[in-house]
Amino acid sequence: MSLIPSASKSWFPGHMATFLRNQLPTLLSAQVDVVLEVRDVRMPLTSIHPDLEGILSQWRERRKTGRVCERIVVYTKRDLVDTEGQEALGKALSKHFDHHTHFNSNSKPKDLKALHGMLVSIAKENIATTPALNVLVVGMPNM
């Protein structure tokens, strides 16, 4: 059973489709080491975009050459979901997806510091092969 919902294209604006089809693959091939994907924790599964999933899967397959290739999904608005729900969601996602998960709230500076720490850790682990870490931030609007 796939956890990735099929997307209804009726709401999908043309400029977003153009970005996914043309610009995102170009950006990913140009020295991107970490993709930081922003999602809303209130809609954890419906905020998964199948086209974006496919493009990022292809990127990871092409990047298996010793370079850094990490993906962090940042769930925003974590203060609107109780801690138990976040823990359960994190465990469920780790069983089905190969990416780091981070829960963030703009009202809690420690969340942003933890995300910064995660990026610094990735950079330190790969300093020998990647002296500078390039991070691309992407996200789809909620509908």
Side-chain angles (χ1 to χ4, degrees):
M1 177 179 97
S2 175
L3 291 178
I4 302 171
S6 60
S8 169
K9 301 293 183 183
S10 62
W11 64 268
F12 201 60
H15 69 282
M16 291 171 57
T18 299
F19 173 76
L20 279 177
R21 192 173 42 251
N22 301 329
Q23 295 169 330
L24 183 58
T26 302
L27 287 171
L28 289 173
S29 66
Q31 305 290 329
V32 171
D33 302 305
V34 178
V35 172
L36 208 94
E37 180 185 351
V38 181
R39 296 184 191 162
D40 190 326
V41 74
R42 298 170 297 173
M43 302 169 57
L45 296 180
T46 57
S47 62
I48 297 171
H49 194 281
D51 293 342
L52 181 59
E53 288 295 313
I55 291 168
L56 292 177
S57 291
Q58 291 172 3
W59 168 67
R60 291 191 93 168
E61 284 298 315
R62 286 192 305 264
R63 289 295 295 266
K64 290 186 177 179
T65 59
R67 285 195 50 90
V68 180
C69 183
E70 296 287 343
R71 180 178 178 192
I72 303 171
V73 177
V74 178
Y75 286 94
T76 62
K77 300 179 175 75
R78 85 170 180 94
D79 50 331
L80 300 178
V81 176
D82 65 38
T83 305
E84 291 173 359
Q86 293 171 37
E87 291 172 5
L89 176 61
K91 287 179 185 176
L93 291 171
S94 69
K95 290 179 183 177
H96 296 282
F97 296 100
D98 182 26
H99 58 63
H100 302 282
T101 302
H102 176 77
F103 294 93
N104 192 71
S105 170
N106 289 340
S107 65
K108 299 184 188 316
K110 68 177 183 156
D111 289 349
L112 194 54
K113 287 181 183 177
L115 179 60
H116 177 263
M118 191 181 292
L119 290 168
V120 168
S121 176
I122 292 169
K124 285 181 179 180
E125 290 170 8
N126 296 283
I127 192 78
T129 58
T130 310
L133 198 65
N134 295 307
V135 180
L136 176 66
V137 180
V138 297
M140 292 293 173
N142 296 333
M143 296 312 284

PDB file of all heavy atoms in Angstrom, residues 75-99:
ATOM      1  N   TYR A  75       8.255  19.329   9.360  1.00  0.00           N
ATOM      2  CA  TYR A  75       6.819  19.504   9.587  1.00  0.00           C
ATOM      3  C   TYR A  75       6.623  20.753  10.429  1.00  0.00           C
ATOM      4  O   TYR A  75       7.087  20.833  11.568  1.00  0.00           O
ATOM      5  CB  TYR A  75       6.222  18.281  10.284  1.00  0.00           C
ATOM      6  CG  TYR A  75       6.090  17.115   9.340  1.00  0.00           C
ATOM      7  CD1 TYR A  75       7.080  16.156   9.243  1.00  0.00           C
ATOM      8  CD2 TYR A  75       4.972  16.999   8.510  1.00  0.00           C
ATOM      9  CE1 TYR A  75       6.966  15.099   8.359  1.00  0.00           C
ATOM     10  CE2 TYR A  75       4.863  15.953   7.622  1.00  0.00           C
ATOM     11  CZ  TYR A  75       5.855  15.013   7.550  1.00  0.00           C
ATOM     12  OH  TYR A  75       5.743  13.974   6.665  1.00  0.00           O
ATOM     13  N   THR A  76       5.955  21.740   9.853  1.00  0.00           N
ATOM     14  CA  THR A  76       5.730  23.011  10.538  1.00  0.00           C
ATOM     15  C   THR A  76       4.475  22.942  11.409  1.00  0.00           C
ATOM     16  O   THR A  76       3.693  21.999  11.306  1.00  0.00           O
ATOM     17  CB  THR A  76       5.566  24.146   9.525  1.00  0.00           C
ATOM     18  OG1 THR A  76       4.415  23.888   8.714  1.00  0.00           O
ATOM     19  CG2 THR A  76       6.800  24.285   8.647  1.00  0.00           C
ATOM     20  N   LYS A  77       4.325  23.944  12.237  1.00  0.00           N
ATOM     21  CA  LYS A  77       3.147  24.095  13.112  1.00  0.00           C
ATOM     22  C   LYS A  77       3.023  22.949  14.119  1.00  0.00           C
ATOM     23  O   LYS A  77       1.940  22.503  14.449  1.00  0.00           O
ATOM     24  CB  LYS A  77       1.871  24.237  12.283  1.00  0.00           C
ATOM     25  CG  LYS A  77       1.884  25.440  11.358  1.00  0.00           C
ATOM     26  CD  LYS A  77       0.607  25.511  10.557  1.00  0.00           C
ATOM     27  CE  LYS A  77       0.542  26.753   9.733  1.00  0.00           C
ATOM     28  NZ  LYS A  77       1.368  26.780   8.570  1.00  0.00           N
ATOM     29  N   ARG A  78       4.157  22.464  14.608  1.00  0.00           N
ATOM     30  CA  ARG A  78       4.132  21.332  15.526  1.00  0.00           C
ATOM     31  C   ARG A  78       3.401  21.640  16.817  1.00  0.00           C
ATOM     32  O   ARG A  78       2.902  20.742  17.483  1.00  0.00           O
ATOM     33  CB  ARG A  78       5.532  20.803  15.803  1.00  0.00           C
ATOM     34  CG  ARG A  78       6.280  21.519  16.896  1.00  0.00           C
ATOM     35  CD  ARG A  78       7.557  20.745  17.230  1.00  0.00           C
ATOM     36  NE  ARG A  78       8.296  21.410  18.268  1.00  0.00           N
ATOM     37  CZ  ARG A  78       8.174  21.114  19.552  1.00  0.00           C
ATOM     38  NH1 ARG A  78       7.341  20.194  19.964  1.00  0.00           N
ATOM     39  NH2 ARG A  78       8.900  21.768  20.447  1.00  0.00           N
ATOM     40  N   ASP A  79       3.314  22.908  17.182  1.00  0.00           N
ATOM     41  CA  ASP A  79       2.606  23.280  18.404  1.00  0.00           C
ATOM     42  C   ASP A  79       1.096  23.053  18.296  1.00  0.00           C
ATOM     43  O   ASP A  79       0.386  23.105  19.302  1.00  0.00           O
ATOM     44  CB  ASP A  79       2.908  24.730  18.787  1.00  0.00           C
ATOM     45  CG  ASP A  79       2.731  25.707  17.645  1.00  0.00           C
ATOM     46  OD1 ASP A  79       2.919  25.297  16.485  1.00  0.00           O
ATOM     47  OD2 ASP A  79       2.417  26.877  17.906  1.00  0.00           O
ATOM     48  N   LEU A  80       0.611  22.756  17.102  1.00  0.00           N
ATOM     49  CA  LEU A  80      -0.823  22.484  16.910  1.00  0.00           C
ATOM     50  C   LEU A  80      -1.152  20.990  17.002  1.00  0.00           C
ATOM     51  O   LEU A  80      -2.311  20.607  16.876  1.00  0.00           O
ATOM     52  CB  LEU A  80      -1.282  23.043  15.562  1.00  0.00           C
ATOM     53  CG  LEU A  80      -1.105  24.551  15.386  1.00  0.00           C
ATOM     54  CD1 LEU A  80      -1.555  24.975  13.996  1.00  0.00           C
ATOM     55  CD2 LEU A  80      -1.849  25.328  16.457  1.00  0.00           C
ATOM     56  N   VAL A  81      -0.131  20.154  17.202  1.00  0.00           N
ATOM     57  CA  VAL A  81      -0.317  18.704  17.338  1.00  0.00           C
ATOM     58  C   VAL A  81       0.372  18.271  18.627  1.00  0.00           C
ATOM     59  O   VAL A  81       1.501  18.687  18.896  1.00  0.00           O
ATOM     60  CB  VAL A  81       0.294  17.953  16.124  1.00  0.00           C
ATOM     61  CG1 VAL A  81       0.198  16.458  16.295  1.00  0.00           C
ATOM     62  CG2 VAL A  81      -0.395  18.386  14.844  1.00  0.00           C
ATOM     63  N   ASP A  82      -0.289  17.431  19.420  1.00  0.00           N
ATOM     64  CA  ASP A  82       0.325  17.027  20.687  1.00  0.00           C
ATOM     65  C   ASP A  82       1.591  16.197  20.459  1.00  0.00           C
ATOM     66  O   ASP A  82       1.805  15.617  19.396  1.00  0.00           O
ATOM     67  CB  ASP A  82      -0.662  16.293  21.589  1.00  0.00           C
ATOM     68  CG  ASP A  82      -1.145  14.967  21.025  1.00  0.00           C
ATOM     69  OD1 ASP A  82      -0.353  14.251  20.405  1.00  0.00           O
ATOM     70  OD2 ASP A  82      -2.332  14.647  21.217  1.00  0.00           O
ATOM     71  N   THR A  83       2.427  16.136  21.478  1.00  0.00           N
ATOM     72  CA  THR A  83       3.724  15.459  21.388  1.00  0.00           C
ATOM     73  C   THR A  83       3.571  13.982  21.045  1.00  0.00           C
ATOM     74  O   THR A  83       4.351  13.440  20.252  1.00  0.00           O
ATOM     75  CB  THR A  83       4.493  15.611  22.719  1.00  0.00           C
ATOM     76  OG1 THR A  83       4.585  17.004  23.017  1.00  0.00           O
ATOM     77  CG2 THR A  83       5.883  15.040  22.621  1.00  0.00           C
ATOM     78  N   GLU A  84       2.581  13.313  21.621  1.00  0.00           N
ATOM     79  CA  GLU A  84       2.367  11.893  21.329  1.00  0.00           C
ATOM     80  C   GLU A  84       2.062  11.679  19.850  1.00  0.00           C
ATOM     81  O   GLU A  84       2.529  10.721  19.249  1.00  0.00           O
ATOM     82  CB  GLU A  84       1.237  11.336  22.188  1.00  0.00           C
ATOM     83  CG  GLU A  84       1.584  11.255  23.661  1.00  0.00           C
ATOM     84  CD  GLU A  84       0.390  10.852  24.512  1.00  0.00           C
ATOM     85  OE1 GLU A  84      -0.718  10.647  23.967  1.00  0.00           O
ATOM     86  OE2 GLU A  84       0.571  10.747  25.732  1.00  0.00           O
ATOM     87  N   GLY A  85       1.278  12.570  19.275  1.00  0.00           N
ATOM     88  CA  GLY A  85       0.965  12.471  17.851  1.00  0.00           C
ATOM     89  C   GLY A  85       2.196  12.664  16.986  1.00  0.00           C
ATOM     90  O   GLY A  85       2.370  11.991  15.969  1.00  0.00           O
ATOM     91  N   GLN A  86       3.079  13.559  17.390  1.00  0.00           N
ATOM     92  CA  GLN A  86       4.317  13.782  16.646  1.00  0.00           C
ATOM     93  C   GLN A  86       5.211  12.549  16.702  1.00  0.00           C
ATOM     94  O   GLN A  86       5.797  12.151  15.697  1.00  0.00           O
ATOM     95  CB  GLN A  86       5.065  14.981  17.216  1.00  0.00           C
ATOM     96  CG  GLN A  86       4.356  16.292  17.011  1.00  0.00           C
ATOM     97  CD  GLN A  86       5.011  17.413  17.783  1.00  0.00           C
ATOM     98  OE1 GLN A  86       6.222  17.467  17.903  1.00  0.00           O
ATOM     99  NE2 GLN A  86       4.203  18.304  18.312  1.00  0.00           N
ATOM    100  N   GLU A  87       5.325  11.956  17.879  1.00  0.00           N
ATOM    101  CA  GLU A  87       6.168  10.763  18.033  1.00  0.00           C
ATOM    102  C   GLU A  87       5.634   9.609  17.192  1.00  0.00           C
ATOM    103  O   GLU A  87       6.386   8.921  16.513  1.00  0.00           O
ATOM    104  CB  GLU A  87       6.247  10.362  19.509  1.00  0.00           C
ATOM    105  CG  GLU A  87       7.038  11.344  20.347  1.00  0.00           C
ATOM    106  CD  GLU A  87       6.949  11.063  21.845  1.00  0.00           C
ATOM    107  OE1 GLU A  87       6.348  10.043  22.240  1.00  0.00           O
ATOM    108  OE2 GLU A  87       7.484  11.878  22.613  1.00  0.00           O
ATOM    109  N   ALA A  88       4.319   9.414  17.230  1.00  0.00           N
ATOM    110  CA  ALA A  88       3.715   8.330  16.439  1.00  0.00           C
ATOM    111  C   ALA A  88       3.908   8.575  14.949  1.00  0.00           C
ATOM    112  O   ALA A  88       4.234   7.656  14.192  1.00  0.00           O
ATOM    113  CB  ALA A  88       2.229   8.211  16.777  1.00  0.00           C
ATOM    114  N   LEU A  89       3.718   9.815  14.535  1.00  0.00           N
ATOM    115  CA  LEU A  89       3.904  10.156  13.125  1.00  0.00           C
ATOM    116  C   LEU A  89       5.359   9.933  12.713  1.00  0.00           C
ATOM    117  O   LEU A  89       5.634   9.354  11.657  1.00  0.00           O
ATOM    118  CB  LEU A  89       3.506  11.608  12.862  1.00  0.00           C
ATOM    119  CG  LEU A  89       3.747  12.135  11.456  1.00  0.00           C
ATOM    120  CD1 LEU A  89       2.940  11.344  10.430  1.00  0.00           C
ATOM    121  CD2 LEU A  89       3.407  13.620  11.378  1.00  0.00           C
ATOM    122  N   GLY A  90       6.299  10.370  13.538  1.00  0.00           N
ATOM    123  CA  GLY A  90       7.719  10.177  13.228  1.00  0.00           C
ATOM    124  C   GLY A  90       8.077   8.709  13.073  1.00  0.00           C
ATOM    125  O   GLY A  90       8.784   8.326  12.137  1.00  0.00           O
ATOM    126  N   LYS A  91       7.575   7.862  13.967  1.00  0.00           N
ATOM    127  CA  LYS A  91       7.854   6.425  13.878  1.00  0.00           C
ATOM    128  C   LYS A  91       7.236   5.815  12.619  1.00  0.00           C
ATOM    129  O   LYS A  91       7.860   5.013  11.936  1.00  0.00           O
ATOM    130  CB  LYS A  91       7.318   5.706  15.119  1.00  0.00           C
ATOM    131  CG  LYS A  91       8.131   5.956  16.356  1.00  0.00           C
ATOM    132  CD  LYS A  91       7.536   5.252  17.560  1.00  0.00           C
ATOM    133  CE  LYS A  91       8.295   5.599  18.831  1.00  0.00           C
ATOM    134  NZ  LYS A  91       7.668   5.008  20.020  1.00  0.00           N
ATOM    135  N   ALA A  92       5.993   6.187  12.327  1.00  0.00           N
ATOM    136  CA  ALA A  92       5.316   5.646  11.143  1.00  0.00           C
ATOM    137  C   ALA A  92       6.036   6.061   9.861  1.00  0.00           C
ATOM    138  O   ALA A  92       6.236   5.247   8.954  1.00  0.00           O
ATOM    139  CB  ALA A  92       3.863   6.102  11.108  1.00  0.00           C
ATOM    140  N   LEU A  93       6.443   7.320   9.783  1.00  0.00           N
ATOM    141  CA  LEU A  93       7.128   7.804   8.583  1.00  0.00           C
ATOM    142  C   LEU A  93       8.480   7.126   8.393  1.00  0.00           C
ATOM    143  O   LEU A  93       8.868   6.822   7.267  1.00  0.00           O
ATOM    144  CB  LEU A  93       7.300   9.322   8.648  1.00  0.00           C
ATOM    145  CG  LEU A  93       6.015  10.131   8.530  1.00  0.00           C
ATOM    146  CD1 LEU A  93       6.290  11.599   8.838  1.00  0.00           C
ATOM    147  CD2 LEU A  93       5.386   9.983   7.170  1.00  0.00           C
ATOM    148  N   SER A  94       9.192   6.886   9.492  1.00  0.00           N
ATOM    149  CA  SER A  94      10.509   6.253   9.364  1.00  0.00           C
ATOM    150  C   SER A  94      10.415   4.820   8.846  1.00  0.00           C
ATOM    151  O   SER A  94      11.365   4.308   8.274  1.00  0.00           O
ATOM    152  CB  SER A  94      11.253   6.282  10.705  1.00  0.00           C
ATOM    153  OG  SER A  94      10.626   5.431  11.642  1.00  0.00           O
ATOM    154  N   LYS A  95       9.263   4.183   9.010  1.00  0.00           N
ATOM    155  CA  LYS A  95       9.078   2.825   8.489  1.00  0.00           C
ATOM    156  C   LYS A  95       8.849   2.815   6.977  1.00  0.00           C
ATOM    157  O   LYS A  95       9.102   1.819   6.313  1.00  0.00           O
ATOM    158  CB  LYS A  95       7.880   2.155   9.167  1.00  0.00           C
ATOM    159  CG  LYS A  95       8.118   1.816  10.618  1.00  0.00           C
ATOM    160  CD  LYS A  95       6.882   1.171  11.215  1.00  0.00           C
ATOM    161  CE  LYS A  95       7.078   0.901  12.702  1.00  0.00           C
ATOM    162  NZ  LYS A  95       5.878   0.337  13.323  1.00  0.00           N
ATOM    163  N   HIS A  96       8.339   3.919   6.445  1.00  0.00           N
ATOM    164  CA  HIS A  96       7.936   3.949   5.035  1.00  0.00           C
ATOM    165  C   HIS A  96       8.795   4.852   4.144  1.00  0.00           C
ATOM    166  O   HIS A  96       8.733   4.731   2.926  1.00  0.00           O
ATOM    167  CB  HIS A  96       6.474   4.385   4.924  1.00  0.00           C
ATOM    168  CG  HIS A  96       5.524   3.429   5.566  1.00  0.00           C
ATOM    169  ND1 HIS A  96       5.147   2.246   4.973  1.00  0.00           N
ATOM    170  CD2 HIS A  96       4.903   3.465   6.766  1.00  0.00           C
ATOM    171  CE1 HIS A  96       4.317   1.601   5.769  1.00  0.00           C
ATOM    172  NE2 HIS A  96       4.152   2.308   6.859  1.00  0.00           N
ATOM    173  N   PHE A  97       9.549   5.774   4.748  1.00  0.00           N
ATOM    174  CA  PHE A  97      10.302   6.738   3.948  1.00  0.00           C
ATOM    175  C   PHE A  97      11.750   6.789   4.402  1.00  0.00           C
ATOM    176  O   PHE A  97      12.058   6.592   5.570  1.00  0.00           O
ATOM    177  CB  PHE A  97       9.686   8.136   4.061  1.00  0.00           C
ATOM    178  CG  PHE A  97       8.299   8.228   3.495  1.00  0.00           C
ATOM    179  CD1 PHE A  97       7.187   8.195   4.329  1.00  0.00           C
ATOM    180  CD2 PHE A  97       8.099   8.329   2.128  1.00  0.00           C
ATOM    181  CE1 PHE A  97       5.911   8.277   3.813  1.00  0.00           C
ATOM    182  CE2 PHE A  97       6.823   8.408   1.596  1.00  0.00           C
ATOM    183  CZ  PHE A  97       5.732   8.381   2.449  1.00  0.00           C
ATOM    184  N   ASP A  98      12.628   7.098   3.463  1.00  0.00           N
ATOM    185  CA  ASP A  98      14.051   7.187   3.732  1.00  0.00           C
ATOM    186  C   ASP A  98      14.464   8.660   3.792  1.00  0.00           C
ATOM    187  O   ASP A  98      15.080   9.180   2.871  1.00  0.00           O
ATOM    188  CB  ASP A  98      14.828   6.443   2.632  1.00  0.00           C
ATOM    189  CG  ASP A  98      16.319   6.465   2.885  1.00  0.00           C
ATOM    190  OD1 ASP A  98      16.717   6.593   4.059  1.00  0.00           O
ATOM    191  OD2 ASP A  98      17.080   6.356   1.910  1.00  0.00           O
ATOM    192  N   HIS A  99      14.066   9.332   4.857  1.00  0.00           N
ATOM    193  CA  HIS A  99      14.478  10.715   5.068  1.00  0.00           C
ATOM    194  C   HIS A  99      14.450  11.038   6.552  1.00  0.00           C
ATOM    195  O   HIS A  99      13.838  10.337   7.344  1.00  0.00           O
ATOM    196  CB  HIS A  99      13.611  11.699   4.276  1.00  0.00           C
ATOM    197  CG  HIS A  99      12.142  11.639   4.586  1.00  0.00           C
ATOM    198  ND1 HIS A  99      11.599  11.939   5.823  1.00  0.00           N
ATOM    199  CD2 HIS A  99      11.089  11.315   3.817  1.00  0.00           C
ATOM    200  CE1 HIS A  99      10.287  11.808   5.781  1.00  0.00           C
ATOM    201  NE2 HIS A  99       9.952  11.422   4.580  1.00  0.00           N
TER     202      HIS A  99
END
